[in-house]
Amino acid sequence: MSDAALDVVEFLLTTSVYSDDRRLDENDLPPSYRRVYWTGGVDGDESESGGERHRPAGISRPLSVTNSTAREATDVDQPWAAVSELMFTERDEFSGTITLADKDLAEQWFVDRVDEERLLENPTLARHFAEHDEFDVDVDYEKARDRNRPIQADRVWIDGLLDQYFDEEEDEEMLDLVEVRAPEEVEMSLDDLVLTDDQENELDKISKAIEHRDYLKDIGLREIGKLLFVGPPGTGKTSTAQALAQDMDLPFVEVKLSMITSQYLGETAKNVDKTFEVAKRLSPCILFIDEFDFVAKTRSSDEHAALKRAVNTLLKSIDNISLIEDDVLLIGATNHPDQLDDAAWRRFDEIINFPKPDHGMRADILRVITRTMDIDEFDPELVAEATAGLTGSDLRMVLREAVLEALTEDRTQLTQDDLIEAVEEFEERDTLKNMDMMGGDHDALVAGGDLGKASDGGEPHDHGHSHDHDHDHDH
């Protein structure tokens, strides 16, 4: 029997068990199933008071299965065709619903074909089969539930909550200040990153703090959970914060400080307040504030009074948010730590340095970002030696140049020489970027400026590795 049939039968069994067993909640369903049935947010109809009505967020029983819902949940193109010949399935031609004509037979058929590892990916079925001795299944329901991504990490939950608490028109300016990513939308984990020992140790400590925050609250240790990442552009500050969100199944809320200066943001202080309200509503989550040096620059300048008020509001909001009390981990990042004043520094309890990678790290980064490439006689140590001073995002640009150059010769296999030549090309472009813009050939300078932007990480976002790309910006 095909994998497609197994996938569809699992979906049918799960929806049937979930519909009947009221002890189960949304965290017992695999994320791909939750996405299909989750409802919540704003209704199109108006309420009696004249405003739009908010639907209660959640999953309503019973769960009905059609070709459409099964396709969305399982990625099987023709779900009914995959199971139509099984003697325990049936389809209502009028409504299009697919059901189990003989649930007992379906259960035995399924359990004969799966192992414990598969059941651990589905808490609903793990509980169901563990409670029925006739199936002789040894599976730990609590382990399956712990392994399952929590509903708070799903895009549908995040969108539903934002719709419920924030009016799109009224809060449009505030929503311009933040970008919210679900963990499922972050395509890197900490295992994909090349980190220093110090970085790994600090991230491990904060992970333990998040895991045991109830204990920390009980013993009165509240001064924890505000990190500052410092280092040059392209060294992985943003990528690391996002990967931490993915590993810990936490929504990632990014505040765009540079947007505060935008002319169409009228009530900036109020909007800053609301960005922190977003984080508290989505908690537990990570609140990431990039370009933190903007705060110090604004406080020490002759900027408009309203802008200074917004920055002061930001600092007060940072003071008033807590990992222990609010379940919000705050991470600030800066390319220019020398521009931070004491007021900015004292907001953070841990400083994590993101230096340019040394020889060993560059070699490791090269191994990571080339693992899907075909490179003849690849020697990452030699390439690392030739790339002293380059960041992870610089190395990514070098590899990109080598790949594109090979493609112009209709080659998909690279050579060691391709990489060395690409390093030389990158260094030439970097030199152009740093040239005096008042002299030299104008056309060459324009090209060099464009390429220079890309080498700083202005390239479209690549969800890769800590040092192969980072959208830290150098303002």
Side-chain angles (χ1 to χ4, degrees):
M1 184 52 62
S2 69
D3 289 342
L6 196 62
D7 291 344
V8 176
V9 170
E10 178 176 3
F11 182 56
L12 288 166
L13 280 172
T14 303
T15 54
S16 175
V17 170
Y18 187 84
S19 295
D20 294 339
D21 190 343
R22 297 284 168 160
R23 298 171 300 171
L24 300 169
D25 62 30
E26 290 90 350
N27 285 317
D28 290 303
L29 289 172
S32 61
Y33 297 6
R34 292 194 300 243
R35 183 174 62 244
V36 175
Y37 294 109
W38 184 265
T39 59
V42 179
D43 236 336
D45 299 331
E46 290 191 357
S47 65
E48 292 180 6
S49 61
E52 291 178 312
R53 294 181 304 194
H54 291 285
R55 301 190 304 272
I59 294 175
S60 301
R61 293 174 169 92
L63 306 183
S64 174
V65 176
T66 63
N67 250 335
S68 176
T69 57
R71 184 181 304 115
E72 187 179 351
T74 65
D75 285 332
V76 174
D77 283 340
Q78 299 294 331
W80 171 241
V83 297
S84 59
E85 294 184 5
L86 297 174
M87 57 194 307
F88 51 79
T89 61
E90 61 184 7
R91 183 170 185 255
D92 186 304
E93 293 299 328
F94 178 72
S95 66
T97 56
I98 305 170
T99 55
L100 296 171
D102 188 330
K103 186 177 176 182
D104 291 341
L105 192 59
E107 290 171 339
Q108 193 61 58
W109 181 93
F110 179 75
V111 84
D112 285 345
R113 287 163 175 79
V114 297
D115 56 15
E116 178 188 350
E117 193 60 30
R118 177 153 183 160
L119 286 174
L120 283 173
E121 300 298 323
N122 188 327
T124 294
L125 294 187
R127 180 170 196 160
H128 180 70
F129 286 117
E131 290 183 344
H132 290 76
D133 295 337
E134 66 268 25
F135 295 115
D136 192 27
V137 171
D138 183 22
V139 62
D140 187 332
Y141 161 67
E142 292 299 336
K143 184 178 177 181
R145 188 172 162 99
D146 287 345
R147 180 186 289 193
N148 201 36
R149 192 175 72 214
I151 185 67
Q152 288 86 353
D154 288 359
R155 183 81 247 175
V156 289
W157 183 87
I158 291 170
D159 287 343
L161 187 140
L162 292 175
D163 286 344
Q164 186 174 352
Y165 287 107
F166 301 101
D167 179 84
E168 192 166 333
E169 286 188 23
E170 181 183 329
D171 298 317
E172 185 176 356
E173 292 181 347
M174 179 275 299
L175 293 172
D176 280 336
L177 279 173
V178 296
E179 179 181 349
V180 181
R181 289 191 184 201
E184 61 182 310
E185 296 167 334
V186 179
E187 297 178 10
M188 72 198 89
S189 71
L190 291 176
D191 289 338
D192 296 321
L193 310 182
V194 179
L195 301 171
T196 67
D197 290 342
D198 286 344
Q199 289 165 356
E200 288 183 351
N201 290 338
E202 292 297 336
L203 293 176
D204 185 54
K205 282 195 291 186
I206 202 64
S207 297
K208 290 297 182 186
I210 292 172
E211 185 181 343
H212 298 287
R213 55 191 181 276
D214 288 341
Y215 161 74
L216 295 174
K217 185 176 182 179
D218 289 343
I219 65 173
L221 185 58
R222 290 173 168 79
E223 295 75 26
I224 194 166
K226 294 175 185 176
L227 312 180
L228 182 63
F229 291 177
V230 301
T235 51
K237 299 185 291 297
T238 303
S239 299
T240 301
Q242 289 179 348
L244 187 63
Q246 195 225 52
D247 277 28
M248 304 208 70
D249 287 324
L250 299 174
F252 185 79
V253 182
E254 181 174 358
V255 178
K256 305 169 187 174
L257 281 190
S258 58
M259 293 294 292
I260 293 177
T261 60
S262 297
Q263 58 183 357
Y264 56 87
L265 288 176
E267 300 176 2
T268 52
K270 187 179 83 170
N271 288 326
V272 169
D273 265 340
K274 286 197 172 185
T275 63
F276 280 79
E277 189 182 342
V278 168
K280 290 180 179 180
R281 294 287 188 189
L282 291 176
S283 65
C285 71
I286 290 177
L287 176 60
F288 181 71
I289 306 177
D290 204 358
E291 307 165 328
F292 204 81
D293 42 279
F294 173 83
V295 171
K297 281 188 283 191
T298 303
R299 283 164 58 85
S300 62
S301 70
D302 296 325
E303 293 286 358
H304 192 276
L307 188 55
K308 286 197 172 187
R309 274 199 304 276
V311 170
N312 286 330
T313 300
L314 175 71
L315 292 175
K316 288 177 184 175
S317 298
I318 291 173
D319 288 338
N320 294 330
I321 204 163
S322 163
L323 173 63
I324 307 305
E325 299 292 339
D326 303 305
D327 284 343
V328 176
L329 172 63
L330 177 75
I331 300 178
T334 176
N335 302 332
H336 305 287
D338 56 305
Q339 295 181 7
L340 297 184
D341 59 12
D342 288 341
W345 281 109
R346 67 170 177 262
R347 259 74 189 185
F348 300 95
D349 51 79
E350 293 288 349
I351 311 296
I352 302 182
N353 185 31
F354 282 77
K356 286 188 176 183
D358 60 19
H359 178 280
M361 290 183 70
R362 289 196 303 278
D364 287 342
I365 294 165
L366 288 163
R367 290 185 183 97
V368 169
I369 62 180
T370 60
R371 58 189 171 191
T372 58
M373 298 179 186
D374 181 8
I375 306 176
D376 185 37
E377 298 182 356
F378 178 44
D379 183 351
E381 298 290 339
L382 186 61
V383 180
E385 194 172 321
T387 53
L390 299 194
T391 66
S393 61
D394 293 338
L395 294 175
R396 181 63 162 168
M397 291 300 299
V398 167
L399 265 296
R400 186 192 124 170
E401 176 63 27
V403 169
L404 293 178
E405 191 64 36
L407 287 176
T408 64
E409 300 174 10
D410 296 321
R411 289 187 292 115
T412 55
Q413 183 189 54
L414 302 182
T415 67
Q416 182 77 0
D417 286 343
D418 289 332
L419 301 187
I420 299 300
E421 288 173 13
V423 172
E424 293 170 358
E425 281 282 322
F426 178 85
E427 289 174 343
E428 286 178 17
R429 296 175 184 196
D430 207 43
T431 300
L432 278 174
K433 181 187 72 174
N434 294 317
M435 281 177 65
D436 182 355
M437 296 299 287
M438 296 302 292
D441 179 72
H442 179 70
D443 291 336
L445 289 173
V446 170
D450 290 342
L451 293 165
K453 271 195 233 172
S455 71
D456 262 348
E459 155 108 345
H461 194 87
D462 181 331
H463 299 292
H465 317 284
S466 172
H467 295 286
D468 76 4
H469 187 85
D470 181 12
H471 58 156
D472 296 331
H473 306 290
D474 188 0
H475 293 281

